[in-house]
Every structure is written in C-alpha cells, then in structure tokens.
Amino acid sequence: MESKIIIKGGKPLIGEVTVSGGKNSAVAIIPAALMSDDVCYIENIPLIEDVFVLKKMMEHLGADVTIEGNTMRVDPKGVSNWIVPDDLAREMRASYYLMGTLLAKFGKAQVVFPGGCNIGSRPMDQHLKGLGSLGAKIDLIGGVYVCSAEKLKGCEIYMDVSSVGATINLMLAAAKAEGVTTIVNAAREPHIVDLANFLSAMGATVKGAGTPTIRVKGAQKLKGCRYSILPDQIETGTWMAAAAATRGDIKINGCIPYHMESASVKLAEMGIEVIEGEDYIRVKALNRPKAVHIQTLPYPGFPTDLQQPFTVILSTAKGTSMVIETIFESRFRHVDELRRMGANIQISGDVAVIMGVEKLSGAEVVASDLRAGAALIVAGVMAEGTTVISNTKYIDRGYENIVDKLKSVGADVSRT
Ligand code: EPZ
C-alpha cells in the first residue's frame, strides 16, 4: 500500500534543519567508484531511494557495496558484468552514468533507455554524440543502448546544450580515455565540480570544472579514495522555500550559501530576510512575500529544480508573479494540484502567471515527480487545514528523512 504524507499546515515553521548530501552528486560519484581498482569510501551519502537503487545495480554488476551510517564503501574488484538490469535502470534517470563508467572500465556497456522524472522529453543526443566522439559505438536495440569501444580516445567535444547529465557522462568516460578530453559548453552545476574533485582524488586530472570548458586527462589506472560529497543544493533551496511560504524562520545548517545565490537573491526581492553564515543560511520571512519574476537557467542561474517549490511561495505572494521554465517543457504539473488548494495560476507554454491569493487550503493531492512532491510539501505546510499527499515514492527518491526533518521545525506531519 503506497504511503501518504499528511500535513496540518497554516503555521510558521521555526527551528533548525541539517541538509543531507547531494542527490545529484551521489548518483554521479557512486558509479564513478566502479572505475577504481580499489576500495572507495564515499561519505555524506544521502539515504534516499536513488542511492539504494544504484547500490542494487552496482551489486548486480559484481561490486561489493555496503552503507554504514552515511558512508558507502564500494569495492569494485569483483565487477565483471557490463549489462545493467532493465528494471533497476528504469527507476532512475542517472542510470545512464553507467554507460560512461562501464565504457571506461570495459569498453562495453548495456543500459536500457533510462527512466526518471516525467518533466518533459529527456533526450540523450548530447550523451551519444560525445561518447561517439570518444570512440564508442552505440546502437539502440529493443530500447537498450548497446555500447562498445575498442579504446576511448580523448578529443574536443562541443555540447549543443549545457546538459548536466551529458557533461557528467562524458567526464566519466574521459577519466580512463587515452589523452585529454575537452568538453566545451559544459554544465557548471556544483555537482559537476564535486564529481571532478572525486575523479581527481582517484587519480584522473580534471581542470576547469565549474567553468564552460572542462579538460579531463584520462588515467590508465584509477585508485581507491575517501571522499565526502557536497551538501544538497536543491534540498537547501526547498527548506528556504518552506521558511518563506510559512512566514517562518528556519536556520539551514551544513549547506553552501554560495551555491544558493540565485535563490537567496529572489527571496530578498520578495522582501524576505536571508542571513548567510559560513555553512548555514537562515531565512526569516516575517511578512507576506512580494510577487517576483523567476526564469530558470543552467547554473549559476535559478535552478529548474527549485522552480516548483518557489512557485508555491508565489501562489500566496502579494501581487502577480511570472515564472518562465526554460529547461524542461512540462515542469508545471504540480500547478493542477496547487489549483486544487486554491492557487490562481495560468499556464501558457513555458510561462506560469501566478496571481497571489490570500491563502491556500489543504486538499488531497498527488505528486507527479520528485520536485513536484517537494512543492506539495511546501504547499501543505503553508495551507490552512489538512493536506494529504500520495505518490510519496517520488519524494523519497530525493529527500532523506523528510518527515522527521519537517517535525524538527515544528510541522504537524505524519506518514501513513
Ligand atoms: C539533471 O537532469 C538533474 N538530474 C535534474 O534534476 C535537473 O533538473 C537537470 O539536471 C537540470 O539541472 C540528475 O542530476 C540526476 P540536463 P538531466 O541534461 O541531466 C536537454 C531532480 O529533480 N538535453 O541538464 O537530465 C534537456 O532536454 C532532477 O533532481 C538535450 O537536449 O538534465 C533539457 O532541456 C530532475 N540533450 C536540458 O538539456 C541531451 O542529450 C537540460 O537537461 C541532454 C539534455
């Protein structure tokens, strides 16, 4: 029986919460550990569904993977298989990182066309173009990518789109390619830099991560290492949204304020106080936010993953806001559910016009994807009355211990 999250909302969230390790870092760094010849210890792992699915995939390939607390131990010495099980690969988008990893390790990989959040068409042309340039032959046979490469040879790859996934996949393949690979028009998200640091810790040479041009010098052998992944940028932003939406005061510990610039600036524009410390952000929202305009862009622009939670804040802001979603073509599916709670939002293409109402009222709502689920949690704590969220499996893919964390800032929340 699918569990539901039940929230009695309408009061400010006040208190402190600590952010877990980054989901989108973890799902890139964990597969990378398969390329090492020795044991890797990855610390600050978020205990979320995507990590557990990835663990099962890696064990299927022959790796010995254990998790103790928030540290994952990966021993890749037993890895001898390059065929990723379809049922697991369909559960998450990031399973495609095993293409780059297994091509680098074996010169072979078989991965079914990946699943993941239904927020629009998720093409892979940039992945295929880049891996092809490195020397891989990739055929789509019965919905499965069958990849092979005599040898991966470094080259210059120009990305038509600054794709996070393609940048990561190419960095993985390049880590053991012969010579230098230059990725031009690369994505610059914090998790790209995190992966670069991990690959460097294993002995590859990676320069320029975080800029539009990344250079990877492949290494014949990659060694084991111990590495702690960065805090989750999107979880941090979700808590910022929860504080703003409930007119609360939340201190978010263990985050990197620099990564949150675009979100902090938007909250300040709304008239909300954002206090930044060395490794924390405190959001004090003592009055009704003002309407603002948001356009999602690749990092360091406003993250598309925060568009859904921030739309909730704007649904009860003073005035009319506009949100332009430039990254994915159907990332407004949470809006239908917000309308059920009383939101007044018009959608036209990639633009949402949000007329702020006084308040939302609790209702039965359904999460359609991971960040839509997060948005419904923000709506639930903000709305008067009771909200019941189903399809919570999406939320568990990306938020560790979400119910306990909500309780720690005073939310009246439970799970069936
Ligand atoms: C990653 O998805 C994240 N997922 C997404 O987070 C995030 O929304 C997205 O990056 C943007 O930041 C993971 O890291 C596992 P993209 P990804 O490739 O890699 C187009 C979450 O909630 N594109 O940067 O799939 C694509 O259509 C998830 O944590 C191509 O055209 O995103 C989109 O318009 C949801 N060709 C744009 O690029 C390609 O080959 C950005 O996609 C690849 C992508």
Side-chain angles (χ1 to χ4, degrees):
M1 162 76 173
E2 154 74 353
S3 83
K4 295 178 189 294
I5 290 178
I6 299 151
I7 303 172
K8 287 192 183 61
K11 57 186 183 12
L13 295 188
I14 296 172
E16 303 200 15
V17 73
T18 300
V19 174
S20 298
K23 164 179 100 74
N24 292 342
S25 255
V27 297
I29 286 172
I30 294 170
L34 287 179
M35 296 190 289
S36 94
D37 294 326
D38 213 330
V39 173
C40 288
Y41 292 90
I42 308 167
E43 298 172 347
N44 202 29
I45 287 277
L47 301 180
I48 54 177
E49 262 319 290
D50 273 11
V51 165
F52 303 139
V53 171
L54 207 41
K55 175 174 182 291
K56 279 189 235 154
M57 278 191 237
M58 303 207 352
E59 287 166 337
H60 178 89
L61 298 171
D64 178 54
V65 184
T66 51
I67 298 176
E68 258 180 61
N70 287 88
T71 297
M72 177 185 270
R73 177 185 183 278
V74 178
D75 181 350
K77 292 199 279 295
V79 176
S80 58
N81 180 3
W82 57 86
I83 300 172
V84 180
D86 291 3
D87 55 334
L88 293 175
R90 283 179 198 285
E91 285 192 42
M92 54 186 281
R93 173 121 185 107
S95 43
Y96 55 31
Y97 294 149
L98 288 166
M99 287 166 78
T101 307
L102 294 170
L103 272 171
K105 190 174 179 77
F106 291 119
K108 286 185 274 198
Q110 278 192 25
V111 185
V112 71
F113 197 96
C117 283
N118 44 1
I119 49 180
S121 74
R122 310 286 293 270
M124 286 190 58
D125 54 308
Q126 300 300 309
H127 297 246
L128 304 176
K129 169 182 154 182
L131 293 173
S133 308
L134 288 167
K137 181 177 173 305
I138 302 178
D139 299 305
L140 188 57
I141 302 170
V144 176
Y145 282 119
V146 179
C147 318
S148 62
E150 278 305 302
K151 178 171 65 176
L152 292 176
K153 206 163 164 354
C155 62
E156 173 159 307
I157 302 166
Y158 173 77
M159 308 258 284
D160 303 306
V161 180
S162 298
S163 154
V164 168
T167 302
I168 288 173
N169 225 346
L170 298 179
M171 287 167 73
L172 292 167
K176 290 197 80 173
E178 187 187 283
V180 175
T181 299
T182 304
I183 306 171
V184 182
N185 195 20
R188 301 158 60 187
E189 272 69 6
H191 30 291
I192 305 271
V193 179
D194 217 22
L195 174 66
N197 293 338
F198 181 75
L199 293 175
S200 303
M202 289 209 291
T205 308
V206 188
K207 299 262 185 267
T211 77
T213 304
I214 301 176
R215 281 190 180 74
V216 181
K217 186 172 183 313
Q220 273 301 318
K221 290 191 158 316
L222 293 172
K223 58 187 191 310
C225 66
R226 179 176 287 273
Y227 187 82
S228 180
I229 65 175
L230 56 62
D232 194 308
Q233 175 201 18
I234 305 305
E235 183 191 356
T236 303
T238 307
W239 290 114
M240 292 167 75
T246 60
R247 323 281 192 269
D249 177 351
I250 300 180
K251 182 168 177 284
I252 305 155
N253 295 316
C255 66
I256 300 176
Y258 174 71
H259 289 160
M260 306 314 301
E261 281 296 285
S262 59
S264 300
V265 164
K266 276 302 153 187
L267 289 184
E269 278 177 36
M270 293 181 204
I272 290 168
E273 190 182 358
V274 180
I275 301 156
E276 293 185 0
E278 180 64 26
D279 64 349
Y280 70 83
I281 288 180
R282 183 173 171 190
V283 176
K284 286 172 75 174
L286 304 180
N287 39 39
R288 189 178 178 191
K290 292 197 283 281
V292 298
H293 297 332
I294 291 177
Q295 172 169 320
T296 64
L297 286 169
Y299 189 85
F302 190 92
T304 172
D305 293 350
L306 289 182
Q307 176 264 106
Q308 292 152 295
F310 270 61
T311 298
V312 175
I313 309 171
L314 298 176
S315 71
T316 60
K318 203 166 22 195
T320 297
S321 305
M322 190 161 69
V323 171
I324 306 174
E325 170 56 69
T326 70
I327 307 291
F328 291 109
E329 66 272 14
S330 61
R331 201 165 197 172
F332 286 128
R333 299 181 57 200
H334 55 302
V335 167
D336 278 340
E337 301 306 302
L338 296 180
R339 287 185 181 126
R340 211 185 287 274
M341 301 174 75
N344 182 0
I345 303 175
Q346 297 303 320
I347 306 281
S348 165
D350 60 1
V351 179
V353 178
I354 304 159
M355 280 65 73
V357 295
E358 281 300 315
K359 64 176 182 56
L360 295 190
S361 314
E364 303 229 346
V365 289
V366 181
S368 51
D369 59 74
L370 164 56
R371 306 301 172 184
L376 294 176
I377 284 183
V378 175
V381 291
M382 172 173 79
E384 302 285 332
T386 301
T387 297
V388 180
I389 304 170
S390 46
N391 261 7
T392 56
K393 65 180 187 304
Y394 285 114
I395 300 168
D396 296 331
R397 281 193 47 206
Y399 290 90
E400 177 181 0
N401 244 345
I402 186 71
V403 170
D404 293 342
K405 288 187 180 183
L406 281 165
K407 285 180 179 166
S408 73
V409 288
D412 180 345
V413 58
S414 59
R415 174 170 244 163
T416 56

